[in-house]
Amino acid sequence: MPLKKSFHALLLLLTTVFILGSIAFSYEDFLMKHYDFPRSIVGSHYCNAMMQSRGMTKPKCRLVNTFIHDTKAYILDVCGRKGVSYGHELRHSIKIFSVTTCTLRGSNPRAPCVYKENISPQNIVIACLDGKPVHYEEGNFAVVHEDEASD
């Protein structure tokens, strides 16, 4: 019987990992990859500088990454009362955030990594673990207004 329980626990763990995809699994990794408040002043090539300084250009160029320019408290709130369930494991923000999305120019994921930037206000979609964000879901999502949220 203990073997059967261990198998079920392992299966549950593997299923959770599969569902969450390629998430960082830690709040610290999330902050390193996606948090930049206030927005860093790094010259005229924000994305190139930020992607390199955050270690997302080696061993290959990360295709896309978004930096959130707001307080940790507001981002954490998306995991709680200021976010609504979105899919199985994700939370969609009610608040609009200022973000910069860096997208690799061209299709070669090898250095040199050159990025184009898009600065825009938008909702964010994140995965949370123990009340903290651990993954940023890249993509365009519908706007959810606070009065529409049922959470």
Side-chain angles (χ1 to χ4, degrees):
M1 207 54 132
L3 184 59
K4 189 174 183 178
K5 286 184 180 181
S6 296
F7 175 75
H8 287 292
L10 179 61
L11 185 60
L12 179 62
L13 175 65
L14 291 173
T15 303
T16 302
V17 169
F18 178 75
I19 289 169
L20 291 177
S22 61
I23 66 171
F25 285 112
S26 84
Y27 177 57
E28 291 74 23
D29 285 341
F30 174 88
L31 292 176
M32 188 274 304
K33 290 179 182 171
H34 302 291
Y35 176 71
D36 185 37
F37 181 76
R39 188 175 193 267
S40 297
I41 300 170
V42 292
S44 61
H45 300 286
Y46 175 86
C47 283
N48 293 342
M50 291 299 293
M51 295 296 282
Q52 184 173 11
S53 72
R54 301 290 179 98
M56 291 184 272
T57 60
K58 292 182 181 175
K60 63 182 185 175
C61 309
R62 186 174 175 132
L63 299 178
V64 63
N65 190 71
T66 299
F67 293 100
I68 305 167
H69 310 298
D70 214 321
T71 66
K72 290 177 186 175
Y74 280 126
I75 297 168
L76 284 166
D77 273 348
V78 177
C79 292
R81 60 189 172 83
K82 294 293 183 178
V84 295
S85 292
Y86 188 84
H88 183 67
E89 296 286 336
L90 300 172
R91 303 285 295 171
H92 189 287
S93 70
I94 296 168
K95 178 185 180 337
I96 301 291
F97 286 83
S98 174
V99 303
T100 300
T101 300
C102 302
T103 307
L104 184 65
R105 290 184 184 202
S107 58
N108 184 5
R110 299 284 175 209
C113 306
V114 179
Y115 293 90
K116 62 181 177 177
E117 73 177 55
N118 179 27
I119 303 168
S120 65
Q122 64 187 44
N123 296 91
I124 63 171
V125 176
I126 58 177
C128 301
L129 189 62
D130 297 326
K132 293 182 177 177
V134 294
H135 168 72
Y136 184 94
E137 186 72 15
E138 299 288 352
N140 297 318
F141 304 98
V143 175
V144 174
H145 298 284
E146 198 158 355
D147 57 345
E148 296 173 6
S150 60
D151 223 345

